C-alpha cells in the first residue's frame, strides 16, 4: 500500500528550476507581506471596523493560507529536489486546496451582497449588515466549504492505492491522485467535477444578479458624485472576481487544454491572484491607504 507520493512538479521546466524558485519565492513573500499588511491595517484602524473590511480580512486570511497550500512544497521541490510528500501531507493539500478555494468563491459572493445592500439600501445598511449577520455569513462560508472539502478528500483517499505513487503534478489534487488508484474512479471524478463546477457557477450567478441590481440603482442616481462613489466601491471587488473566475472559466470551457496550460492557470491562481488581491484593494481604496500610512507612522490624510 502507498504510504507516500512523489510529486513530479511543473512539466517541461527542466533547467529552469533556479529561475522558477526565485520567481515563486518573490511572489510568495509579496503575498505574505501584502495580506499581513492588509490584516494589520484593518485590525489597527477602528475606522475600518465595518462589514466590508471584515469580509476583506477573511479574504486576506484565505489568500495567506491558499498560497501556502502548494507553494512551500513547490519551492522545496525546485530547490532541493525534495519531491516526496507523505500520505497525510497529500491529504492535507487536497483538503485545504478545496476548503480555501470554495471559501474564497463564497466570500466573493457575500462581498457582492454586501455591496448590493450598501448601494441599493444605504439607509438600512447597518441594520441589515449588522455584526451578527456578518459573523453568520462568514461562518457559513467556512463551514459549508469544510463539508465540501471533507467529502471530496474522503472520497479520494478511501480509494485503494497499491500501485504507482508518482503524481504527475506540482501538488496533490484530486484528479492527478485519483488516477493512481487501484479501483474505478468514476464516482469520485463525477462528484468532483460536479461539485467544483456547481459552486463557482452558482456563486457567479449570484454575483451577477447583485451587480445587475447595483447597476440599475446607480443608473437611477441623480448625483454624479454618488455614481462615482458607487463605481469606486465596486471596482476593486469586480477586479478580484475577474481574477478568480477568469482562470476557472478557462479550464471549464476549454476542456482540450493541455497539461502545461492547465498548470499555468493553476499557478496563476495559487501564486499571482493571492498577491494581487491586497494590491488591488490598497491602490483603489483611500481608507486602506490611510490606515497603512498610520501603521508606518505617517500623518493620516483627512477622511
Amino acid at each position: 500500500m502507498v504510504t507516500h507520493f512523489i510529486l513530479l512538479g511543473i512539466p517541461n521546466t527542466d533547467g529552469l528550476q533556479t529561475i522558477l524558485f526565485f520567481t515563486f519565492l518573490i511572489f510568495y513573500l509579496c503575498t505574505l507581506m501584502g495580506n499581513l499588511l492588509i490584516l494589520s491595517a484593518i485590525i489597527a484602524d477602528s475606522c475600518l471596523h465595518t462589514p466590508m473590511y471584515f469580509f476583506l480580512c477573511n479574504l486576506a486570511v484565505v489568500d495567506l493560507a491558499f498560497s501556502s497550500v502548494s507553494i512551500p512544497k513547490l519551492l522545496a521541490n525546485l530547490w532541493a529536489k525534495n519531491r516526496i510528500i507523505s500520505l497525510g501531507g497529500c491529504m492535507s493539500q487536497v483538503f485545504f486546496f478545496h476548503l480555501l478555494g470554495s471559501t474564497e468563491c463564497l466570500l466573493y459572493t457575500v462581498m457582492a451582497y454586501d455591496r448590493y445592500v450598501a448601494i441599493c439600501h444605504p439607509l438600512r445598511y447597518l441594520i441589515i449588515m449588522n455584526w451578527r449577520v456578518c459573523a453568520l455569513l462568514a461562518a457559513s462560508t467556512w463551514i459549508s466549504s469544510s463539508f465540501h472539502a471533507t467529502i471530496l478528500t474522503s472520497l479520494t483517499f478511501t480509494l485503494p492505492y497499491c500501485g504507482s505513487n508518482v503524481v504527475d503534478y506540482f501538488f496533490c489534487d484530486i484528479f492527478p491522485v485519483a488516477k493512481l488508484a487501484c479501483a474505478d474512479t468514476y464516482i469520485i471524478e463525477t462528484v468532483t467535477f460536479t461539485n467544483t463546477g456547481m459552486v463557482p457557477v452558482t456563486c457567479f450567478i449570484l454575483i451577477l444578479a447583485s451587480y445587475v441590481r447595483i447597476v440599475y440603482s446607480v443608473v437611477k442616481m441623480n448625483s454624479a458624485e454618488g455614481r462615482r462613489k458607487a463605481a469606486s466601491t465596486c471596482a476593486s471587488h469586480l477586479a478580484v472576481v475577474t481574477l478568480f473566475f477568469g482562470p476557472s472559466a478557462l479550464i471549464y470551457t476549454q476542456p482540450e487544454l493541455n497539461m502545461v496550460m492547465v498548470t499555468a492557470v493553476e499557478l496563476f491562481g495559487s501564486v499571482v491572484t493571492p498577491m494581487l488581491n491586497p494590491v488591488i484593494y490598497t491602490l483603489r481604496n483611500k481608507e486602506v491607504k490611510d490606515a497603512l500610512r498610520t501603521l508606518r507612522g505617517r500623518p493620516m490624510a483627512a477622511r
Side-chain angles (χ1 to χ4, degrees):
M1 300 298 292
V2 170
T3 58
H4 65 275
F5 292 94
I6 298 173
L7 301 172
L8 289 186
I10 306 171
N12 302 326
T13 55
D14 291 339
L16 300 174
Q17 285 86 352
T18 303
I19 296 173
L20 290 174
F21 171 81
F22 285 107
T23 301
F24 292 143
L25 179 62
I26 291 170
F27 274 96
Y28 183 55
L29 292 176
C30 289
T31 298
L32 296 180
M33 184 176 66
N35 284 286
L36 286 173
L37 278 174
I38 289 287
L39 278 172
S40 302
I42 293 174
I43 292 171
D45 192 339
S46 60
C47 295
L48 301 183
H49 294 177
T50 63
M52 183 176 81
Y53 294 107
F54 170 71
F55 295 124
L56 183 55
C57 267
N58 277 266
L59 181 61
V61 170
V62 169
D63 284 336
L64 279 169
F66 192 73
S67 61
S68 300
V69 170
S70 58
I71 301 307
K73 185 60 183 175
L74 175 60
L75 292 173
N77 188 337
L78 291 169
W79 184 254
K81 304 292 190 297
N82 182 14
R83 298 182 175 185
I84 296 175
I85 183 170
S86 66
L87 180 62
C90 194
M91 291 175 66
S92 297
Q93 282 196 335
V94 171
F95 175 80
F96 285 107
F97 179 79
H98 289 277
L99 165 68
L100 296 165
S102 177
T103 301
E104 185 164 6
C105 188
L106 293 171
L107 270 175
Y108 288 139
T109 309
V110 171
M111 292 168 79
Y113 174 71
D114 173 69
R115 294 300 83 206
Y116 157 74
V117 176
I119 293 172
C120 299
H121 305 283
L123 299 180
R124 299 172 55 211
Y125 175 66
L126 293 178
I127 298 174
I128 297 173
M129 298 299 293
N130 59 64
W131 283 112
R132 181 172 176 274
V133 170
C134 291
L136 284 173
L137 287 172
S140 297
T141 64
W142 287 95
I143 293 170
S144 58
S145 297
S146 297
F147 281 115
H148 168 75
T150 300
I151 291 169
L152 295 181
T153 307
S154 300
L155 286 173
T156 302
F157 289 97
T158 50
L159 293 170
Y161 294 93
C162 53
S164 173
N165 65 342
V166 178
V167 179
D168 189 14
Y169 210 42
F170 68 95
F171 76 104
C172 286
D173 199 6
I174 292 173
F175 290 119
V177 172
K179 285 198 307 184
L180 307 176
C182 305
D184 182 31
T185 59
Y186 175 77
I187 293 176
I188 176 62
E189 289 177 356
T190 303
V191 171
T192 301
F193 195 82
T194 303
N195 281 16
T196 57
M198 286 185 63
V199 170
V201 167
T202 303
C203 290
F204 181 77
I205 291 172
L206 292 173
I207 292 171
L208 186 62
S210 297
Y211 274 99
V212 167
R213 187 66 182 85
I214 287 171
V215 169
Y216 178 73
S217 296
V218 169
V219 169
K220 288 175 61 179
M221 289 180 181
N222 296 322
S223 167
E225 178 66 16
R227 288 195 293 270
R228 188 193 64 79
K229 285 185 177 180
S232 177
T233 300
C234 297
S236 298
H237 181 254
L238 281 173
V240 295
V241 165
T242 303
L243 282 174
F244 180 81
F245 285 100
S248 300
L250 182 63
I251 291 177
Y252 274 88
T253 58
Q254 303 292 329
E256 71 279 3
L257 284 177
N258 59 37
M259 181 55 72
V260 175
M261 285 300 299
V262 171
T263 303
V265 172
E266 289 281 12
L267 282 170
F268 182 86
S270 300
V271 179
V272 180
T273 301
M275 183 195 69
L276 289 180
N277 283 352
V279 174
I280 291 169
Y281 274 102
T282 302
L283 292 179
R284 297 195 59 86
N285 195 304
K286 180 178 178 296
E287 292 177 322
V288 174
K289 286 190 284 189
D290 286 344
L292 290 173
R293 290 192 190 98
T294 303
L295 280 179
R296 291 198 301 265
R298 295 181 181 180
M300 187 169 60
R303 294 184 187 269

